[in-house]
Amino acid sequence: MVSQNPIKIEDDRTGLEIQTLRRAILDNLFYIQGKFPEIATKNDFYLALAYTIRDRLLQRWLNTMQTEIKNDVKKVCYLSAEFLVGPHLENNLINLGIAEKVKQAVTESGLNIKELIEAEEEPGLGNGGLGRLAACYMDSLSSLEVPAIGYGIRYEFGIFDQEIKDGWQVEITDKWLQYGNPWEIARPEASVTVNFGGYTEPYTDGHNQFHVRWVPGYVVKGIPYDTPITGYKVNTVNTMRLWRSEACESFDFQRFNVGDYYGAVDDKVNSENITKVLYPNDEQIEGKELRLRQQYFFVSCSLQDMIRIHLLNNPNLDNFHEQWAVQLNDTHPAVAVAELMRLLVDIYEYEWGKAWNIVEKTFAYTNHTLLPEALEKWPIEIFGNLLPRVLEVIYEINRRFLDQVRIKFPNDDGKISTLSIIDESGERYVRMAHLACIGSHHINGVAELHSQLVKDTILHDFYLLWPQKFTNVTNGVTPRRWMVQSNPRLSKLITSKIGDGWIKNLQELKQLERYAEDQTFRQQWREAKQFVKQDLANYIQEKVGITVNPESLFDVQVKRIHEYKRQHLNVLHIITLYKQMKSNPNLDVPPRTFIFGGKAAPGYFMAKRIIKFITAVGDVVNNDGDIGDRLKVIFLPDYNVTFGQRVYPAADLSEQISTAGKEASGTGNMKFSMNGALTIGTLDGANVEIRQEVGEENFFLFGLTTPEVLTLKDQGYVPRRYYHSIPELKGVLDLIASGFFSHGDPELFRSIVDNLLYDDPYLLLADYKSYIECQEKVSQAYKDQENWSKMSILNVARMGKFSSDRSIQDYCNNIWNTQPVSIELKDYVQKEA
Ligand code: NBG
């Protein structure tokens, strides 16, 4: 119908004929980039293609927005300081179901689709698992046709780019916006303002009603930028709405007039600093005032936006909680509980109890870590100076809450001090997790084990108070990006056997089980793996100049660098293997390539030293002529979403080796397993459930369990005992301490060795023996390629549970109480014609 339309311009914007697509790309190149093809850069062509695809989703996007605003449907708001979405172009091609056509059009235009896809700068607006989870959830919300908005911050600089210089991490600013971002649309007309600083004062209104007014020290403008989030082969295109801060007035005219030009611009600079850069800390709070400003800024902008949208169709906010389910992604947006109270009470003049009823029914909170250093708390001073009125609201929430506690636990001052929002044990702090718990109707962890530990440990007293609030939602990842997009070969092989229903309903992978016994299929399975391994080997050659054997076992650990994730335990195994090979040149083990990737928080001394440790061991091992290609150690710089898409499909072995009880869930573990890697892992996070699903015979388990970890620590853990009683371990640690991996310098890795010998908070030495023995089993198993392939097929066949579609379904059913809404396409072109 569209192709019959006489108006040429619309046809170019929506048509899908090869000729139309080709013309559209050239049109966009000319009219948006202002370039003739002869002088266009690769980026110009990428942008022209991206705009061509954006044109083709706008119809769905605007219809989705309109339906969600007009209809009486409950919307999910995912409030998150991080969205690590990764590149959009290819993902949109897949979701729109136009990948093949567009590829043909691009090729016929003499361009290379792969190169154009790779030209996209990925938006690195997150640190790691938490931000990437938010992105997978956005994909699933759209794919399941659930009305949703992802609210966050449009950081001008995302997570830093990592370079490795002389084996050390160097951080480079991430200028992801420098060549333009074709996927976002600014909506300045929907800007809001946010208060900071100043003071509060009481006043009485015309009806003799008492109120409080916040007289801010300064006011900042928030401007929303919208990015479309397509669903897989559905019409729903939800919105990710990210806020950028700006000064309210470009100039302070008063100062400008007296000649203080620089002073006048100062305010502008300060306001714009709020959304300048992402804090690069993963699971470690950064107690900086600017971080609190970021949090409050995006939360206040988002709530004001929800209220604005709500009032388009509703006379008041009485039914706000029936229309909005707001999920707090960790405590970063927890100030929303107090901010919504403030808006309801101060601005919309709700009576406190009525307002609280709305608030409590609106929010739910997801906890993502048990690490004490990640639990957010703000010094009262900082909080009160920045957000004086919000702090008063928090005090009032707390006062009323503690009255409830007194009724439930009479005469128990201990309970008052453990539950209070205000930590008064020393310097006074606002505990954000407490505010989140009190203001939420549900609280969930991100894997079964983790949710249990939340109830048993950090939020135990809240659990005693409100057991019914606590639940679990095991994390998941989107099979669209992490299988279809990143591993097209394997995906096609799967589809050739069981059809493509699995892409929408991952449980259908179960049908693959019967092919595990099929020898021809196993051969094809290995070929698919080999193909991507070769591809990764080429990439390694190109990036770090090291030749690896593509037939070797690819043993991969990619994730943020953290002591609890124990990259250094992996290195202890590498050194063990190296020593064994040196002393026994005929050692019969399959060759291995160890591949690492991951960023360290710039201020995390140990994590940075662990990177240097990995590269230093690599320098020795990789250049040892006795070893050849039987052992290689690669650290690939700048691990990000794009690189993840390359590495997960190529792995044979997935390292998930955190100390039991420390990794909340993990999501990389799922991506590996979905792509046919076998896991070596502890009983931690979602590993527990992955093992349950794939079968214990298809999973390499080692290490202490969580209760064993706790007991060992209670008894007084003495790491040196393991050092003295395990000769192999002693040999490895002595070798490091001798300076063997540091050109004879015993100081370079002393901090690592001493930490392990005298403290070892993450129990590497206690788990060493079990890990080494388990790795020997891996080596033995890899020799039997037929059986390895069978295990690999069964891993993929049984991963259905770990689709983020299942997680989102759980949230919808058990927490949000939301329904899908199918979007009808009203054709703009036809309506106008
Ligand atoms: C991380 C956990 C991971 C988990 C992701 C997503 C934080 C604070 N937590 O185990 O460490 O998979 O969250 O839930 O980044």
Side-chain angles (χ1 to χ4, degrees), residues 735-740 742-751 753-754:
L735 191 64
I736 304 166
S738 75
F740 185 80
S742 40
H743 306 284
D745 174 9
E747 292 308 313
L748 189 61
F749 300 125
R750 187 187 295 281
S751 48
V753 175
D754 282 358

Side-chain angles (χ1 to χ4, degrees), residues 496-563:
S496 74
K497 293 294 179 195
I498 66 170
D500 65 1
W502 59 275
I503 300 171
K504 258 192 143 5
N505 176 10
L506 205 63
Q507 290 290 2
E508 288 187 18
L509 287 176
K510 272 258 142 45
Q511 298 165 37
L512 272 183
E513 279 198 23
R514 59 197 165 97
Y515 295 97
E517 298 301 335
D518 178 336
Q519 243 189 341
T520 325
F521 185 72
R522 289 202 298 246
Q523 182 59 34
Q524 293 170 322
W525 192 261
R526 278 194 294 276
E527 283 165 11
K529 177 65 76 180
Q530 204 46 50
F531 182 85
V532 272
K533 284 175 73 176
Q534 182 63 57
D535 189 56
L536 181 61
N538 299 344
Y539 181 80
I540 291 172
Q541 182 78 57
E542 184 191 316
K543 285 283 156 187
V544 293
I546 299 172
T547 311
V548 304
N549 173 3
E551 307 279 330
S552 63
L553 189 167
F554 279 16
D555 179 332
V556 186
Q557 188 170 21
V558 287
K559 47 181 81 236
R560 289 298 288 247
I561 311 293
H562 204 296
E563 288 165 279

Side-chain angles (χ1 to χ4, degrees), residues 82 127-131 133 282-284 329-330 332 366-369 374 446 475 564-565 662-669 685:
E82 304 187 7
N127 273 287
L130 175 145
L133 185 79
D282 184 60
E283 322 223 14
Q284 164 88 350
N329 196 26
D330 216 302
H332 316 147
T366 306
N367 172 284
H368 291 269
T369 182
V446 289
N475 283 169
Y564 87 79
K565 294 177 188 283
K662 297 291 178 192
E663 188 71 89
S665 162
T667 42
N669 47 4

Side-chain angles (χ1 to χ4, degrees), residues 176-191:
W176 71 289
L177 289 166
Q178 70 180 328
Y179 297 117
N181 174 8
W183 301 105
E184 67 183 7
I185 296 182
R187 308 273 185 205
E189 72 282 7
S191 295

Side-chain angles (χ1 to χ4, degrees), residues 153-373:
I153 301 175
R154 182 179 176 278
Y155 300 105
E156 187 178 336
F157 303 113
I159 187 69
F160 61 85
D161 294 333
Q162 179 195 55
E163 287 183 4
I164 300 296
K165 293 238 163 81
D166 187 28
W168 296 95
Q169 166 175 302
V170 176
E171 299 95 21
I172 314 286
T173 43
D174 161 47
K175 299 185 186 156
W176 71 289
L177 289 166
Q178 70 180 328
Y179 297 117
N181 174 8
W183 301 105
E184 67 183 7
I185 296 182
R187 308 273 185 205
E189 72 282 7
S191 295
V192 295
T193 59
V194 179
N195 292 347
F196 289 101
Y199 57 92
T200 66
E201 61 186 19
Y203 72 96
T204 317
D205 68 15
H207 310 285
N208 244 347
Q209 292 290 314
F210 175 83
H211 298 281
V212 177
R213 166 189 308 135
W214 178 1
V215 184
Y218 56 106
V219 178
V220 174
K221 184 155 79 173
I223 302 163
Y225 285 70
D226 289 353
T227 302
I229 306 289
T230 51
Y232 180 69
K233 296 190 178 168
V234 290
N235 290 332
T236 303
V237 177
N238 282 319
T239 299
M240 177 173 71
R241 177 162 281 185
L242 306 180
W243 299 94
R244 183 173 74 82
S245 63
E246 209 179 83
C248 269
E249 298 290 341
S250 291
F251 287 101
D252 181 332
F253 282 102
Q254 196 64 33
R255 278 155 124 188
F256 190 48
N257 287 337
V258 297
D260 184 11
Y261 180 80
Y262 288 100
V265 177
D266 225 27
D267 171 46
K268 189 170 160 60
V269 171
N270 277 332
S271 299
E272 289 172 6
N273 269 343
I274 296 179
T275 56
K276 194 58 82 182
V277 59
L278 167 77
Y279 277 99
N281 304 320
D282 184 60
E283 322 223 14
Q284 164 88 350
I285 53 167
E286 173 85 53
K288 294 273 190 327
E289 194 218 35
L290 180 58
R291 167 81 171 171
L292 181 59
R293 275 204 273 163
Q294 290 186 335
Q295 296 183 349
Y296 180 68
F297 168 74
F298 97 90
V299 160
S300 180
C301 289
S302 307
L303 287 170
Q304 292 183 61
D305 196 51
M306 288 172 223
I307 289 174
R308 176 185 61 83
I309 296 170
H310 188 86
L311 293 177
L312 293 175
N313 293 306
N314 298 275
N316 56 47
L317 298 171
D318 291 5
N319 62 338
F320 186 81
H321 55 284
E322 289 164 9
Q323 294 285 304
W324 303 88
V326 182
Q327 193 65 29
L328 305 173
N329 196 26
D330 216 302
T331 55
H332 316 147
V335 69
V337 170
E339 174 64 0
L340 184 56
M341 275 310 277
R342 186 189 71 83
L343 290 165
L344 290 171
V345 172
D346 288 1
I347 311 294
Y348 294 92
E349 305 194 347
Y350 271 77
E351 177 270 318
W352 185 279
K354 198 170 169 194
W356 184 249
N357 183 49
I358 294 170
V359 167
E360 258 189 327
K361 290 182 175 149
T362 298
F363 293 106
Y365 156 55
T366 306
N367 172 284
H368 291 269
T369 182
L370 303 171
L371 296 192
E373 63 269 34

